[in-house]
Amino acid sequence: MFDYLVVGAGLFGAVFAHEAIKRGKTVLVIDKRNHVAGNVYTENVGGINVHKYGAHIFHTSNKVVWDYVQQFAEFNRYTNSPVARYKDELYNLPFNMNTFSQMWNVKTPAEAKAKIEEQRAEAVAALNGREPANLEEQALSLVGRDIYEKLIKGYTEKQWGRKCNELPAFIIKRLPVRFVYDNNYFNDKYQGIPVGGYTQIVEKMLEGAEVRLGVDFFKERESLVASAKKVVFTGMIDEFYGYKFGELEYRTLRFETEDLLQENYQGNAVVNYTDAEIPYTRIIEHKHFEFGCQSGVATGHTVVTREYPATWKHGDEPYYPMNDEKNNALFAKYKALAESETNVIFGGRLGMYKYFDMHHVIAEALACAKKEVW
């Protein structure tokens, strides 16, 4: 009998398994996919590490988490600086002085602030003293019409599959606006991409565990649960409970990946497509995560991936929990069930029904492991 059955070989499961193994525990890790590392899985394609399930850029201000991942890989100095394309116009992200200069030909922070305040004032006046009733009104009251129309509206509607005036205002509590010429998307102290990709990190974390791939927990649930003293479950919490209270909603992604016989397709790792007419939200050119066109070593090809958001249905991979009021209320019922369990631990985005970045997942897994009586 194993001490722990870990369902899901993604980051949460791998970190927990690593901590358990360090303490002399026996661990069985299963995953229904045919590889470890979950959504952070990277696959080498002709010398290019391809992020198979979308761009994953590691960033954190938590030194404990940063030091933790350094055990498993060397990280490069990659800084996330996406570009937004609206029709035939290009803008730097996040919203900063480069963005405002491109949009309005302003040169100084004072000029940019005046332009934003002028447009915000129009939106606030239109509210006539009431609070924003939807995402559109909220965004207009924060940054004005130009930024909203060109950089928020189309992208957000594609991402959520609903019109901005049908989405709740609380989705956008604030929109960071920076009056400096700095395209660094994240404010975190530590940032980078592991040299050689993410898969190696999870493989190292899982050393010492028994790993079985292509295993569906729900098809072999009885025998698997009987094989361990405790279960760490990182799948969908509503599925674990047989959708007892109803189904939680998720967003999913569809990926179209091409291997192109050219050296450099778009000149940047991430380009967002913010107009509604383009069906995908962004194109990722994977080689730029590891400076593939700056290293002096010509690869002769490049790999690009288009991301298409979609409404989740059974059989799809659930990527993003829909954390609106309705779904959060439903999750609260499942959470109450989960808290009554003595031999099951729920973790990760799906088990905790919460959007997590990678550093959050690692911190949660470490905190969860720390609570265990080893």
Side-chain angles (χ1 to χ4, degrees):
M1 171 159 305
F2 294 94
D3 291 308
Y4 291 94
L5 165 67
V6 177
V7 181
L11 267 183
F12 189 98
V15 170
F16 187 95
H18 181 74
E19 294 303 300
I21 291 162
K22 278 200 310 188
R23 291 162 174 83
K25 302 300 180 181
T26 55
V27 182
L28 169 62
V29 179
I30 66 167
D31 202 293
K32 65 181 180 181
R33 290 174 174 170
N34 63 0
H35 60 75
V36 300
N39 290 343
V40 304
Y41 174 69
T42 46
E43 179 182 48
N44 192 282
V45 178
I48 299 169
N49 290 306
V50 174
H51 298 216
K52 293 290 282 188
Y53 302 97
H56 284 83
I57 299 141
F58 200 92
H59 60 97
T60 185
S61 292
N62 186 330
K63 191 172 188 304
V64 171
V65 170
W66 182 245
D67 289 345
Y68 188 82
V69 294
Q70 298 295 303
Q71 303 173 76
F72 307 104
E74 177 188 356
F75 280 68
N76 67 21
R77 60 169 180 81
Y78 179 82
T79 300
N80 188 28
S81 305
V83 171
R85 180 168 176 171
Y86 175 77
K87 301 186 185 298
D88 289 326
E89 302 170 14
L90 293 176
Y91 296 97
N92 289 107
L93 295 176
F95 308 144
N96 69 80
M97 282 304 298
N98 287 311
T99 321
F100 309 142
S101 178
Q102 292 150 354
M103 189 167 290
W104 300 310
N105 197 32
V106 296
K107 302 295 189 294
T108 68
E111 290 174 323
K113 284 181 181 179
K115 192 72 177 176
I116 291 172
E117 285 305 313
E118 174 190 331
Q119 295 197 1
R120 281 188 67 248
E122 292 175 13
V124 170
L127 291 173
N128 199 25
R130 64 178 173 82
E131 290 296 311
N134 54 57
L135 187 148
E136 178 169 282
E137 291 181 349
Q138 176 80 328
L140 287 170
S141 67
L142 289 171
V143 291
R145 184 158 299 278
D146 287 347
I147 294 174
Y148 169 71
E149 292 284 354
K150 293 188 176 185
L151 300 179
I152 297 172
K153 186 176 188 294
Y155 188 93
T156 302
E157 291 180 348
K158 288 187 285 188
Q159 192 73 23
W160 286 86
R162 289 162 62 186
K163 297 294 184 184
C164 284
N165 59 14
E166 298 171 358
L167 289 166
F170 70 78
I171 290 175
I172 296 182
K173 293 191 173 98
R174 53 189 286 275
L175 286 168
V177 175
R178 302 176 190 170
F179 295 99
V180 291
Y181 289 91
D182 181 5
N183 298 324
N184 181 2
Y185 196 83
F186 301 119
N187 279 323
D188 289 305
K189 186 173 182 179
Y190 310 107
Q191 183 175 178
I193 300 283
V195 178
Y198 285 98
T199 304
Q200 59 175 329
I201 292 176
V202 173
E203 288 173 341
K204 289 172 186 173
M205 287 178 176
L206 293 177
E207 287 176 2
E210 181 173 330
V211 179
R212 300 178 192 170
L213 301 176
V215 175
D216 187 329
F217 171 77
F218 293 101
K219 289 181 179 176
E220 303 178 37
R221 182 170 185 160
E222 189 174 339
S223 61
L224 286 167
V225 170
S227 71
K229 297 172 186 174
K230 270 194 173 183
V231 176
V232 178
F233 186 79
T234 67
M236 297 189 301
I237 189 171
D238 53 341
E239 185 178 18
F240 183 89
Y241 287 111
Y243 306 106
K244 179 176 181 176
F245 303 119
E247 295 185 5
L248 293 165
E249 292 179 282
Y250 304 87
R251 293 291 288 169
T252 189
L253 294 170
R254 178 171 64 85
F255 303 101
E256 283 185 359
T257 299
E258 288 184 279
D259 194 341
L260 304 174
L261 289 175
Q262 61 186 88
E263 185 67 22
N264 189 354
Y265 177 75
Q266 64 186 19
N268 204 52
V270 181
V271 176
N272 291 352
Y273 285 75
T274 61
D275 55 299
E277 290 72 26
I278 301 294
Y280 42 85
T281 49
R282 61 183 180 177
I283 297 179
I284 301 162
E285 188 167 9
H286 300 269
K287 67 178 3 179
H288 295 304
F289 288 126
E290 298 187 58
F291 310 108
C293 290
Q294 301 174 37
S295 61
V297 180
T299 57
H301 76 121
T302 193
V303 179
V304 300
T305 299
R306 292 171 179 81
E307 289 189 15
Y308 297 80
T311 300
W312 178 86
K313 61 184 185 302
H314 286 285
D316 295 335
E317 288 291 340
Y319 286 93
Y320 304 111
M322 293 278 285
N323 289 120
D324 56 17
E325 290 179 3
K326 181 186 79 171
N327 283 288
N328 286 345
L330 180 56
F331 169 66
K333 295 180 180 180
Y334 286 115
K335 185 180 180 184
L337 279 183
E339 288 173 347
S340 71
E341 300 279 359
T342 55
N343 295 316
V344 183
I345 297 166
F346 293 88
R349 281 188 187 184
L350 306 181
M352 302 173 77
Y353 198 68
K354 186 175 181 181
Y355 181 85
F356 286 122
D357 285 324
M358 288 179 285
H359 61 292
H360 295 135
V361 173
I362 291 169
E364 287 287 341
L366 288 172
C368 184
K370 194 174 181 180
K371 290 178 187 175
E372 285 294 280
V373 179
W374 303 103

